Amino acid sequence: SLPLGWGSESSNAGAVRALMFRSTITPGSTSLPLGWGSQSSKVQIHHNTWLHFPGHNLRWILTFTLLFVHVCEIAEGIMDTNHLHLFMPAFMGFIAATTSVVYYHNIETSNFPKLLLALFIYWVLAFITKSIKLWKFAEYGVGVLHLRFCITALLVVLYGLLMAVEINVIRVRRYVFFANPQKVKPPEDLQDLGVRFLQPFVNLLSKATYWWMNPLIIGAHKRPIELKKIGKLPIAMRALTNYLKLKDAYEDQRVSGGGSDRKAPSIWRSMYRAFGRPILLSSTFRYLADLLGFAGPLCIYGIVEHLNKKPVKEGSPITLLLVYFMSSNELLQNTSVLAVLLFLALVLQRTFLQASYYVTIETGINLRGAMIYNKILRLSTSNMSMGEMTLGQINNLVAIETNQLMWFLFLCPNLWAMPVQIVMGVILLYYLLGTSALIGASVIVLLAPVQYLIATKLADTQKSTLDQSTERLKKTTEILKGIKLLKLYAWENIFCDSVEDTRGKELTSLRTFALYTSMSIFMNAAIPIAAVLVTFVSHALINKSKPSSSEAFAALALFHILVTPLFLLSTVVRFAVKAMVSLLIPLFPVQVNSGFFTWGSNLSTLSDINICIPTGQLTMIVGQVGCGKSSLLLAMLGEMQTLSGKVYWSNKNRYSVGYATQKSWLLNATVEDNITFGSPFNKQRYKTVIDACSLQPDVDLLPFGDQTEIGERGINLSGGQRQRICVARALYQNTNIVFLDDPFSALDIHLSDHLMQEGILKFLQDDKRTVVLVTHKLQYLIHADWIIAMKDGSVLREGTLKDIQTHDVELYEHWKTLMNRQDQELEKLIVKTALERKTLRRAFYSREAKNQEEEEEEDDDNMSTTTSRRSKIPWRVCWQYLSSGGFLMVFLMVFSKLLKHSVMVAIDYWLAEWTAKDFVNASAAAVFSNWTNSAVRYEHLSLPVLMFIILCGAGIALCLITSLTVEFLGLSAATNLHHNLLNKIIHAPIRFFDVTPLGQILNRFSADTNIIDQHIPPTLESLTRSTLLCLSAIGVIAFVTPSFLIALIPLAVSFYFIQKYFRVASKDLQDLDDSTQLPLLCHFSETAEGLTTIRAFRHESRFKQKMLELTDTNNTAYLFLSAANRWLEVRTDYLGAVIVLTAAVASIWSSGKNLPSSMVGLGLTYALTVTNYLNWVVRNLADLEVQMAAVKKVNSFLSTESENYEGSMDTSQVPEDWPQHGEIKIQDLCVRYDPLLKPVLKHVNVYINPGQKVGICGRTGSGKSSLSLAFFNMVDVGFSLSSLPLSLSLSLSLSLSLSLSLSVPLCLSLCPSLRRSLRPSLSLSLSVPLSVALSVPLSLSLSLFNLDPERTCTDDRLWEALEIAQLKNMVKALTGGLDAVVTEGGENFSVGQRQLFCLARAFVRKSSILIMDEATASIDMATENVLQKVVMTAFADRTVVTIAHRVHTILEADLVIVMKRGNILEIDKPETLLENEDGMFASFVRADM
């Protein structure tokens, strides 16, 4: 042991001794008190890591070079003579150099620079002794031609440089000879307990071999890798750091460009400025790796050439101490030396290659963190309103396209490394084989354009496939959002066919993609075979002789090297195109303009707007549906594109605007987080806001109060609850201005009045805040300080109510008529919403049940962080995938693969036999000459050449067949899996959609389908190819040198453990990567959907911060995954190098037993391929394991039970005019939503005569919508058909997320066998409007799909329905009329217009029964009055059931049913009910007058 306590005043010598001789320190959780500088101050560091001394990397490089030189010196001494004094000093020098690096590492780890003095003294002494030796050599005439002189000179240089490094450490750290030693603090990252990614901080050896990853990867086998285990990123790698770096580079460019508008800053140049240095470093590593790659073929040439030959001695005679001084050439003629050089060259080449990969991936991750989020926040709302960018596209942008950019960076160094590789390869080939090599290389050059063409076609097809998949995803999203509507109308098959049509187009693109991919794989496999064929045949023709074994196999190895740049050429081009697509995201800058506004076309939506919003007052904007009220708010917020004019904000300190959208938007967070929205929590203010919005009763019902997470987009809340939380958010924010867009549309009269009085008039007006309120409730106009009346996109009139009364009598009288129902006395008693609370209970019960199911099934989509599972290779899932592709395709793939690799081995074996010196071909040549009837005998053109041509031809043909079978097997599997998944999901019962988050279902159709479509086939192809190549290589080596099998056993054991540990760790890290990407995507979706609100509140920075944090978390997982991949590749590469060394040594030893040199060449060439493909076997196996999770997830959905459509009655058996009369009979109906809950309907009995107009009313939660749900039988319950006459038409409210199971006794429902048959005959109109987005105007237009997807109606009938729904004029004004485009979610129409479309859809059907479930909630009073009259006229002879919140809409009904707590409280004619002044109906009417 070394004396460590030299002059150290630190008290931790024991700790240092404990650290001695650990060549790499692994990250642990222990804290060690270490002395920094020469002080005894103790700094706690959680990792046993080190502060690098100056010249750290240079020292390691010099030490490794020193070790290599010592190896050469030992080899020279042993070969030259048996004199101990010639190699023992060298051996001692080797030991000393190894000890020095271990010693240095431990000193650096414990930060005791004083101990470096010993090393400095050693370098000085070594430098002096070697200098004396060199001087003596020169004195006796030994010069640069002699190997020993060159070695000694190199040693002098290395010792001198190491001495200089030590002097530099003394100069910088001042640890000796200086009065004031430098005080050094550890890096900030190493003081942070959370930072676990140590690659930037470990020593060079650990960096190169990823040794610091060992505890993580080996530990993963015992305990899963969790998020806390991988910790945080170092500061330099965080998204914010890199975002600022890129932003600064972009700004510098703008400044240096002099602000010229003509030359905009280039994003590519900014990327280069910010991340250019690591890319150049990576390229340098790549060049070194490529150059070292050529050592393999050259060493094979040398070994085969010099096997069984003695080195030719050259140089001067014995001159000094009876010792022979050999030249460098003599050393390189020794086969054993060449074998060791080959091993060292492979180790170095692979180390440089992995270093290049790591640096580029790290740079790519840094760029990914920096690039996208700013762009998302700059997307304007108009992009989404006009359907230019949907949420699906934005998710695609994050999930897929940023990764394309990163992978393009990863492949970047290949762009400039490839030409060098190709040129070097061709030069060496020419050196070996002469002109014939150039002819062979010309095949590669001639076929390169074909490769390029295939690559570009592949890129084009990829773009087209991406477009089609986005379109398919868009349609699937709409189906899932409107699934209840589709099931009510039994439109599942129509919409399913629509998706299948798009999927058909996508599959056509995928088929083309598969074909081009097959061609690409085929070209990569066939080009080297073709090049070898042309080379050797032309060599036989030109030189009239066969090549030697050494030339043949060196050339073969070179051709194999040239495959890589050719393969990567196509890949780089493909990713370059994808990267370009990723960067060219359409951007519409958010501008604050006014005057004439548009949603994207040149036609102005709002025109000639000249308005004034008074400070600190209540401004109301009123007008009919679609007149531009919401658009006016968005225009003021800068969300619309401007044709001319400006918006001036008088308040210069406008930090944000409180904004409640018409379409409520919630975060996937707690109720409190949704309301406070990033503002500081003020208990008093919070309580006031909660009370003002009547939210306290709802909050009390939630499982965890206001700390309950309200799920994805608030799906476990009712519409009214969502809207009130959005209003509460606007109220809570301490903003000067509040915009409220129709906040009353989803609220009943009591809630509306309470919100108006307590929230707007009291809370906001007391604070003197400026309020802009869009509303249809004209009874509130008396409270307005300023009124803006809109009509057809322009301002009709503005002023106070008194101004309008004076100046526009006609408008005022019109309003007065509508305001007759104004509240005289607002009810102070607020009776709160029973059903909304039951909805909450149901939603949470169903979610908890689903979560339990998920935990039981170990579903991968559990949203909470769960412990990962240990798993073996999922052979069962692999078999399910393969069987989906068809057994014939599986058989073809396996058979063709085996045959292809057998032929490949046969080609190389035949080449070995042909080039063997003792190959007798006289008789064969005679046969050949008889065939050709030639007078001249060409021995060189004998049967072997013909056989070689046949084998190569067969190999090329089989390459094509195998590449096609794998790709089309994958395509067949993808087609079947998606088809089955879509049919299963779309026919699943409604309960499935209530308890399964929409995002989870969409994930199956987006990410998982993408993996099955495009990722599994190439992985499968690569896995089978690399596995068969490795097996055939090991088989050939064992055949050539059976003794290799002895060494194979420990190598196989090593390989088994490496792959075993890696696969488990890789799967964990892959899961972490996926699970950290999900919150990232969710955050993107939320941000994109709530852009208007976020920007109105000026909360961009908070959301950007959250985004950066999520990106960092995801990047940490990805970086660890990347480091794990490098860990594997370094080890398998080193294992491959050991295989090559073992094969070479075994061949050299066996050569004395008459082993032909051609067979040695064959064995070594195959040993080199093992190095290339060994890591791909493990990588592909791990990738396939991860990708098969997508198949597993899809299969888990395929086990979902479908709705029971089987039964005795077929659609054709239902009478066309059913139902004929519209009679409804309900007997003793009880309903409950869950076996754990009480019934929501209790023994209901009703009889409705044909043609009656029936109104159903009751407080929110009385059971009105539950009644309609039960009627429609949206869940599986069975009844006798006799209890239900075929004259029933039913409805469903989509404003609630319900899961339903019915209790007994029951005697009313549709029998399951009738659901599918009878649902199409029913008409309904809903409280939440659903429109289907269509982008192909002619084939999928508004008329054909949104009104009549079955395409059974004439245009006249459609126009009639639109006229009834008060939409005829508006549709006529649209470009294309009935064929106008409806965007996703109907965003290009107002909420009120969308509701009218839903009414029109019901009118089109002309059923005997119309059920209107709160169908006029978002419609102004004037339009509502007209509608009521039209409905009464158009449906005079039919049964109309109206479920109403506004009771005045049912005053003219024939029969009114008043419900309370699931019972019928009152049922009679409205006049009769009004006579009972104490009755509930009478109180409703008084409240609504």
Side-chain angles (χ1 to χ4, degrees), residues 1318-1447:
L1318 306 185
R1319 280 181 191 164
S1321 306
L1322 314 172
S1323 285
L1324 74 163
S1325 188
L1326 308 161
S1327 60
V1328 171
L1330 289 170
S1331 301
V1332 184
L1334 304 159
S1335 55
V1336 186
L1338 295 174
S1339 60
L1340 300 174
S1341 60
L1342 182 152
S1343 64
L1344 292 176
F1345 242 73
N1346 268 298
L1347 295 180
D1348 177 32
E1350 293 160 303
R1351 306 179 189 184
T1352 54
C1353 299
T1354 61
D1355 279 9
D1356 292 342
R1357 187 160 160 190
L1358 294 175
W1359 282 118
E1360 183 189 348
L1362 288 170
E1363 191 168 14
I1364 291 171
Q1366 310 296 299
L1367 288 169
K1368 186 174 181 180
N1369 294 335
M1370 190 274 293
V1371 173
K1372 269 189 173 176
L1374 293 173
T1375 311
L1378 281 175
D1379 292 326
V1381 180
V1382 183
T1383 61
E1384 184 180 15
E1387 290 285 350
N1388 52 347
F1389 295 102
S1390 72
V1391 176
Q1393 287 169 329
R1394 277 176 253 165
Q1395 208 157 31
L1396 294 177
F1397 271 118
C1398 294
L1399 275 171
R1401 190 188 289 136
F1403 296 150
V1404 163
R1405 300 176 73 84
K1406 293 200 169 176
S1407 305
S1408 297
I1409 301 171
L1410 170 68
I1411 298 191
M1412 294 169 63
D1413 185 353
E1414 195 55 32
T1416 55
S1418 291
I1419 301 171
D1420 61 278
M1421 289 183 180
T1423 311
E1424 186 185 0
N1425 286 341
V1426 175
L1427 264 177
Q1428 292 295 335
K1429 288 173 187 170
V1430 170
V1431 167
M1432 292 304 170
T1433 312
F1435 288 83
D1437 57 341
R1438 296 182 189 139
T1439 308
V1440 179
V1441 178
T1442 305
I1443 294 172
H1445 281 159
R1446 304 176 186 175
V1447 286

Side-chain angles (χ1 to χ4, degrees), residues 865-1018:
T865 310
T866 56
T867 311
S868 306
R869 293 161 301 286
R870 311 295 83 206
S871 65
K872 294 178 181 176
I873 297 168
W875 297 118
R876 192 169 61 84
V877 180
C878 290
W879 176 244
Q880 287 172 341
Y881 173 78
L882 291 172
S883 56
S884 301
F887 295 109
L888 178 65
M889 293 301 290
V890 175
F891 170 75
L892 275 175
M893 180 191 82
V894 174
F895 180 72
S896 62
K897 280 272 180 188
L898 291 171
L899 195 59
K900 172 195 153 186
H901 284 277
S902 305
V903 171
M904 300 293 279
V905 172
I907 291 169
D908 294 335
Y909 179 76
W910 193 259
L911 185 65
E913 286 290 344
W914 177 30
T915 57
K917 289 178 181 174
D918 57 348
F919 188 82
V920 181
N921 58 6
S923 58
V927 174
F928 186 73
S929 62
N930 289 339
W931 286 348
T932 55
N933 295 318
S934 172
V936 185
R937 275 182 62 147
Y938 287 106
E939 287 194 14
H940 57 279
L941 255 182
S942 53
L943 187 62
V945 179
L946 187 64
M947 195 66 191
F948 189 66
I949 293 168
I950 291 166
L951 284 170
C952 288
I956 289 169
L958 284 164
C959 284
L960 179 61
I961 293 165
T962 51
S963 61
L964 284 168
T965 51
V966 177
E967 285 295 326
F968 281 89
L969 167 73
L971 191 67
S972 174
T975 307
N976 293 330
L977 284 169
H978 181 273
H979 174 76
N980 296 341
L981 176 68
L982 181 66
N983 278 285
K984 266 292 181 195
I985 295 289
I986 209 163
H987 294 128
I990 276 295
R991 175 173 161 73
F992 172 78
F993 298 97
D994 286 335
V995 297
T996 312
L998 177 66
Q1000 188 175 320
I1001 302 172
L1002 276 176
N1003 224 18
R1004 300 295 151 276
F1005 287 101
S1006 54
D1008 294 335
T1009 302
N1010 183 47
I1011 287 170
I1012 293 168
D1013 285 353
Q1014 294 185 30
H1015 294 161
I1016 293 180

Side-chain angles (χ1 to χ4, degrees), residues 187-260:
E188 195 179 329
D189 289 317
L190 291 184
Q191 296 179 64
D192 186 344
L193 291 168
V195 175
R196 306 280 167 85
F197 189 79
L198 298 180
Q199 182 72 2
F201 312 111
V202 293
N203 66 37
L204 196 65
L205 183 64
S206 189
K207 259 186 189 148
T209 59
Y210 303 89
W211 196 266
W212 64 272
M213 287 284 289
N214 283 358
L216 183 80
I217 287 173
I218 293 166
H221 212 262
K222 297 171 188 170
R223 189 174 294 160
I225 299 172
E226 292 165 357
L227 207 54
K228 62 183 178 186
K229 210 168 181 178
I230 61 173
K232 295 188 289 192
L233 279 180
I235 292 165
M237 293 181 184
R238 288 177 195 167
L240 181 60
T241 313
N242 292 293
Y243 166 70
L244 293 172
K245 195 190 287 186
L246 186 68
K247 189 180 173 189
D248 291 345
Y250 194 78
E251 292 302 326
D252 289 348
Q253 216 186 127
R254 182 179 287 165
V255 171
S256 60
S260 168

Side-chain angles (χ1 to χ4, degrees), residues 1138-1153:
V1138 173
I1139 288 173
V1140 173
L1141 179 65
T1142 313
V1145 170
S1147 301
I1148 292 162
W1149 286 349
S1150 305
S1151 62
K1153 301 171 186 173

Side-chain angles (χ1 to χ4, degrees), residues 15 79 90 143 328 417 564 697 809 844 922 965 977 1103 1285-1286 1329 1345 1404 1433 1440:
M79 283 171 56
S328 306
T564 311
V809 180
F844 281 105
T965 51
L977 284 169
F1103 276 76
L1286 287 182
F1345 242 73
V1404 163
T1433 312
V1440 179

Side-chain angles (χ1 to χ4, degrees), residues 32-37 41-53 108-111 173 182-193 201 235:
L32 290 175
L34 301 176
W36 295 93
S41 60
K42 294 171 183 177
V43 179
Q44 293 289 328
I45 301 189
H46 71 300
H47 300 305
N48 300 342
T49 46
W50 40 91
L51 185 76
H52 292 163
F53 293 150
E108 191 178 50
T109 307
S110 46
N111 194 31
R173 293 296 298 270
Q182 186 197 28
K183 291 181 182 178
V184 180
K185 284 189 177 180
E188 195 179 329
D189 289 317
L190 291 184
Q191 296 179 64
D192 186 344
L193 291 168
F201 312 111
I235 292 165

